[in-house]
Amino acid sequence: MDMRFPKEFLWGGAVAANQCEGAYNEDGKGLSVQDVLPHGIKGPVTKEPVSENMKLVGIDFYHRYKEDVKLFAEMGFKVFRTSIAWSRIFPNGDEETPNEKGLQFYDNLFDECLKYGIEPLVTISHYETPLHLAREYDGWTNRKMIGFYERYVRTLFSRYGNKVKYWLTFNEINSILHSPFMSGGICTPKEELSEQQLYQAVHHELVASALATKIAHEMMPHAKIGCMILSMPVYPLTPAPDDVIVSLKEEHKNDFFGDVHVRGKYPGYMLRYFREKGISIQMEPEDKEILENTVDFVSFSYYVSACGSADPAQKAGPGNIIGGVPNPYLKASEWGWQIDPQGLRYTLNRYYDRYQLPLFVVENGLGAVDQLEKDDQGELTVFDDYRIQYLRDHLIQIREAIEDGVPVIGYTAWGCIDLVSASSAELKKRYGFIYVDRNDDGSGSLKRYKKKSFAWYQNVIHTNGESLNEN
């Protein structure tokens, strides 16, 4: 059977400002939570930026974006997902007026994309809450954050509404449950943070996201605005009903965020959870009406699946921040992330069954240690057949889901150019089609080299996925 991607399918790649831009203190930019996380999610928070924080320089995308966008265009990108660094626009986050130099940078970046016919897909907040908002207000635990975020989004929509069609409100919004400082700017130590405080912060984010959706629809009627969820299907470890119910509850923790974004209200299973845990969400009278402003599409990241088990002897495996019991039928990456291409087809089908909205796979990729070598012409490259295999297997499953009847807008491979890992703050954990000569000790020329996967992905895009049929 001849299975195809839609003609209008948006092929591309994805990055985040804090992982690639660098220039952390240039042109009026303020500090973000990322500037004091030199060792990633699980490392300690520093008082000030320290030199071993790879994100302070990143891959110097801030100064080299023209070179990089040109390479994306050479691959044939139809879309480029990036984020805006909130603290470039409002250095502290609570100012009345934005920083013009920060605004101009993104004007220049979007213009460069549009020059090549590349559609920008913009994440408004991608793990980069201004540090001042974290320290002064304890991040999203404070309702004042909604007003600061509203001012920020109005500024963005007013400035870029004629350049950006696709918007995402928060990156992996459900990750606040697992990484409250990085995801939610919450300074209260995780071990001291009560579920009451955490879910109150979640409520503030959900209201802010719905408010941004409302404003987007008013200011940019032709734009599309979506939510972005960290997806991780949880399979029962065994057919035991207890394992099935544990898996259901684990999936509900993540489904909650999509359900509110798409259905505009809190689902019953979450209200039960709050009752049983003694959690009372403080809601203002207008919140219910604001939440009814629902998204146009659902986007998500997909890297791993996990298993659920009622057996306390079953321990969570290494890898992704969500945890979960390892699946005995799957292999894992060098960082312990279990590789499950079929889980992507399953997730696409499950989300469409649930939401009946278009879906966008905005993150997927393989972090691996790459080795620069010379090819037959003496040019430096990376023979990353392992990455090609990973991406090919996942893209085939997206095609299967499309054949199942799921409307998929597009696919943006994560870290389409090497960048600093969010989870570990390493550069040796590489995802890109483009190798960047920078190492974890800060050495390197920052020169760009095309990996083998560069030409492979170029051909996938050129053939609109038909080349995936080739062995």
Side-chain angles (χ1 to χ4, degrees):
M1 185 168 56
D2 186 22
M3 295 189 292
R4 298 173 182 269
F5 287 85
K7 282 183 181 177
E8 65 280 6
F9 192 79
L10 293 174
W11 296 96
V15 300
N18 70 85
Q19 292 170 257
C20 70
E21 282 180 5
Y24 81 101
N25 60 355
E26 291 187 37
D27 293 334
K29 182 185 178 296
L31 297 179
S32 83
V33 293
Q34 290 291 347
D35 296 323
V36 293
L37 281 171
H39 305 291
I41 295 171
K42 295 176 181 175
V45 178
T46 56
K47 288 186 178 179
E48 295 298 327
V50 291
S51 58
E52 62 262 34
N53 188 344
M54 297 299 292
K55 287 164 283 192
L56 303 185
V57 174
I59 59 164
D60 198 31
F61 182 77
Y62 189 77
H63 298 111
R64 297 167 183 256
Y65 69 90
K66 288 187 177 181
E67 172 190 354
D68 295 337
V69 172
K70 187 177 181 182
L71 286 166
F72 302 154
E74 188 181 334
M75 268 188 283
F77 279 21
K78 313 291 185 196
V79 64
F80 173 53
R81 179 188 172 215
T82 190
S83 66
I84 291 175
W86 190 343
S87 60
R88 282 204 195 281
I89 312 304
F90 290 98
N92 288 321
D94 57 2
E95 296 94 340
E96 293 285 336
T97 54
N99 170 32
E100 176 57 31
K101 285 186 176 178
L103 288 167
Q104 188 59 51
F105 169 72
Y106 294 104
D107 264 325
N108 297 342
L109 173 59
F110 301 149
D111 287 346
E112 198 67 20
C113 290
L114 294 169
K115 182 173 92 176
Y116 293 105
I118 299 172
E119 196 85 59
L121 165 62
V122 174
T123 312
I124 295 167
S125 181
H126 190 134
Y127 293 165
E128 47 216 352
T129 306
L131 188 59
H132 174 75
L133 295 184
R135 289 181 171 166
E136 185 70 21
Y137 302 94
D138 205 14
W140 283 98
T141 63
N142 193 318
R143 189 174 175 92
K144 288 182 179 178
M145 289 288 287
I146 298 173
F148 301 143
Y149 185 80
E150 179 182 356
R151 183 183 297 143
Y152 172 49
V153 300
R154 284 188 183 277
T155 302
L156 300 188
F157 296 162
S158 174
R159 182 75 172 227
Y160 309 123
N162 63 336
K163 297 180 181 182
V164 179
K165 179 181 176 182
Y166 296 99
W167 299 85
L168 308 176
T169 53
F170 290 94
N171 178 68
E172 295 183 330
I173 188 168
N174 50 319
S175 63
I176 192 174
L177 301 179
H178 311 278
S179 185
F181 179 69
M182 186 171 81
S183 182
I186 299 171
C187 282
T188 300
K190 190 175 178 180
E191 59 275 11
E192 297 173 21
L193 191 67
S194 68
E195 279 202 288
Q196 171 70 46
Q197 292 170 299
L198 183 57
Y199 277 102
Q200 188 64 52
V202 167
H203 176 71
H204 294 153
E205 276 200 312
L206 289 169
V207 170
S209 184
L211 188 57
T213 303
K214 178 178 186 288
I215 295 165
H217 288 152
E218 290 169 353
M219 293 181 69
M220 308 177 297
H222 301 298
K224 300 293 183 186
I225 189 157
C227 58
M228 199 292 205
I229 297 161
L230 193 169
S231 80
M232 188 182 79
V234 182
Y235 310 136
L237 186 64
T238 75
D242 283 351
D243 283 1
V244 175
I245 295 299
V246 165
S247 303
L248 176 70
K249 288 180 177 179
E250 284 300 310
E251 294 214 303
H252 273 168
K253 288 179 185 177
N254 297 319
D255 288 340
F256 162 51
F257 294 82
D259 287 357
V260 175
H261 276 100
V262 174
R263 295 171 177 163
K265 61 182 181 180
Y266 276 51
Y269 61 80
M270 211 64 214
L271 298 177
R272 174 181 178 171
Y273 183 83
F274 291 160
R275 285 195 305 270
E276 292 178 352
K277 294 284 187 175
I279 296 168
S280 178
I281 301 297
Q282 201 69 36
M283 291 202 192
E284 297 302 316
E286 67 271 22
D287 288 0
K288 187 177 178 184
E289 191 175 340
I290 292 171
L291 288 175
E292 291 172 358
N293 291 281
T294 55
V295 293
D296 302 309
F297 65 95
V298 173
S299 77
F300 62 93
S301 59
Y302 177 81
Y303 296 99
V304 297
S305 61
C307 291
S309 173
D311 180 359
Q314 294 288 345
K315 302 295 183 187
N320 209 12
I321 59 173
I322 289 185
V325 175
N327 188 325
Y329 294 96
L330 298 177
K331 294 177 181 176
S333 75
E334 293 172 80
W335 273 266
W337 294 24
Q338 290 202 289
I339 298 170
D340 178 17
Q342 287 173 290
L344 180 50
R345 177 186 181 184
Y346 171 76
T347 298
L348 284 163
N349 271 274
R350 203 174 74 81
Y351 279 174
Y352 187 58
D353 287 348
R354 194 175 191 93
Y355 299 133
Q356 297 290 296
L357 281 181
L359 304 175
F360 207 143
V361 184
V362 296
E363 278 190 40
N364 171 244
L366 177 68
V369 176
D370 289 340
Q371 191 67 46
L372 267 184
E373 300 176 60
K374 287 187 177 179
D375 63 15
D376 293 341
Q377 283 75 44
E379 299 289 330
L380 286 173
T381 189
V382 175
F383 295 101
D384 55 342
D385 294 276
Y386 41 87
R387 181 168 293 110
I388 291 169
Q389 187 64 50
Y390 176 99
L391 294 169
R392 179 179 181 273
D393 290 347
H394 283 77
L395 286 169
I396 285 171
Q397 294 302 319
I398 293 175
R399 190 173 63 187
E400 290 284 351
I402 291 168
E403 193 66 21
D404 292 333
V406 179
V408 186
I409 299 171
Y411 174 85
T412 53
W414 176 249
C416 49
I417 181 169
D418 290 346
L419 39 63
V420 183
S421 165
S423 59
S424 63
E426 297 170 295
L427 248 167
K428 71 176 182 181
K429 185 183 184 185
R430 298 175 182 273
Y431 285 87
F433 304 112
I434 301 160
Y435 184 96
V436 178
D437 181 25
R438 186 164 189 246
N439 306 303
D440 286 340
D441 62 3
S443 65
S445 66
L446 287 167
K447 190 174 178 184
R448 277 60 167 152
Y449 299 94
K450 300 173 191 176
K451 302 179 189 179
K452 184 178 179 181
S453 56
F454 183 102
W456 173 83
Y457 195 49
Q458 182 185 50
N459 193 39
V460 169
I461 297 172
H462 177 70
T463 64
N464 198 32
E466 287 190 36
S467 64
L468 297 170
N469 298 325
E470 301 165 7
N471 291 327

